[in-house]
Amino acid sequence: MFLDDFIRMCYDGFLQGWHERNGGNLSYRMTDEDVKVVESQFCKNSRHYDMPFSVPELAGSYFTVTGSGKYMRNVPLAPEKNIGIIRIDSKGSGYDILWGLEDGAKPTSEIPTHLMNHLERMKATDGACRVIYHAHPANITALTYTIEPDARTYSRILWQSETECAVVFPEGVGVVDWMVPGSIDIGVETAKLISSYRAVIWAFHGIFGSGNDFDETFGLIHTIEKAAEIYLKAKSAGIVRTITDDELRLLADAFGVQLNKDFI
């Protein structure tokens, strides 16, 4: 069931070391079938909250989300206290908590970015994308201290650090320079980029990733983080050679993907 996959991803991220304290968050746009499976568990007296922004295109949509201030390590122990199911209201300017998030808990403070990103990825994938994930991987965050926030530079570094990267994210990655997290502004800036990139790095903070399912999304972040680790290790030892542009083109041809032409 989708809840099992959601819970597993929360804990897998914690085991990777990507979720110190209450860091990071996850959201999943549910299917009609998902709703039917769990709707008998919805509370009769749901809690309603207004949002300081509006996403009318998501009106009536159901999302499973992690809670604000909640620890990923605790999700498997008490799902009903640490995650919840919400429904966006008819105007797209608020939501009802239908299950979970007990004891007055609310969805992640990053909910503006999550919903804006869901909307953009829905448009970009004809509705296929359902998962938005925010994590704090150490190596990709460390990388942001060593180079300027330029998408082309980041994408090339990652592509050239691990052969599979150009296949996994041929469009590259986006980068948002440091902004206050949880704000409407950072949600807007991230949404602008995630329409073109499945992953957007937040300088000095972490990364947002998207995918059609949990495995795809987790794998995307895992791949990017590993490439960043390889690059930082190679850089500290002294880089003497790397994957060339011609080799990237050969790789793209072999796997039938289209690399971002602006980056090679």
Side-chain angles (χ1 to χ4, degrees), residues 110 113 134 144 176 181-182 186 190 200-208:
E110 305 284 5
T113 302
H134 175 48
T144 67
V176 171
I186 198 170
T190 307
V200 177
I201 295 167
W202 281 6
F204 317 141
H205 186 143
I207 189 169
F208 259 86

Side-chain angles (χ1 to χ4, degrees), residues 25-216:
N25 27 76
L26 175 65
S27 65
Y28 168 67
R29 183 170 57 86
M30 297 164 59
T31 66
D32 292 340
E33 290 73 19
D34 294 329
V35 175
K36 290 178 182 178
V37 169
V38 296
E39 62 183 351
S40 63
Q41 303 299 314
F42 290 167
C43 55
K44 295 180 180 179
N45 299 311
S46 60
R47 288 177 282 144
H48 181 83
Y49 294 96
D50 292 327
M51 300 187 296
F53 65 100
S54 179
V55 280
E57 298 93 336
L58 295 179
S61 297
Y62 293 76
F63 292 88
T64 305
V65 296
T66 50
S68 178
K70 302 301 182 180
Y71 292 38
M72 291 290 201
R73 68 187 294 267
N74 291 334
V75 171
L77 302 177
E80 67 282 358
K81 293 183 180 296
N82 295 284
I83 66 175
I85 293 174
I86 65 172
R87 180 181 56 216
I88 308 302
D89 66 23
S90 60
K91 295 181 179 179
S93 57
Y95 59 84
D96 295 293
I97 298 177
L98 305 178
W99 175 87
L101 295 173
E102 294 181 350
D103 302 322
K106 293 183 179 181
T108 169
S109 62
E110 305 284 5
I111 195 68
T113 302
H114 276 264
L115 294 180
M116 292 178 194
N117 285 354
H118 272 291
L119 178 57
E120 291 304 320
R121 291 309 297 168
M122 280 175 59
K123 294 177 181 177
T125 64
D126 195 26
C129 178
R130 292 193 173 274
V131 182
I132 298 292
Y133 181 42
H134 175 48
H136 298 168
N139 291 288
I140 197 63
T141 304
L143 184 62
T144 67
Y145 287 84
T146 69
I147 55 178
E148 293 299 318
D150 173 69
R152 183 179 188 275
T153 302
Y154 275 81
S155 299
R156 288 180 58 82
I157 283 174
L158 295 169
W159 285 349
Q160 293 176 323
S161 295
E162 171 59 54
T163 296
E164 69 172 351
C165 286
V167 178
V168 175
F169 50 100
E171 73 277 10
V173 296
V175 187
V176 171
D177 204 358
W178 189 88
M179 298 179 71
V180 175
S183 66
I184 302 298
D185 290 342
I186 198 170
V188 170
E189 292 305 311
T190 307
K192 289 178 182 177
L193 296 176
I194 211 161
S195 61
S196 300
Y197 306 102
R198 282 171 287 175
V200 177
I201 295 167
W202 281 6
F204 317 141
H205 186 143
I207 189 169
F208 259 86
S210 63
N212 295 358
D213 56 36
F214 296 103
D215 283 345
E216 181 179 286

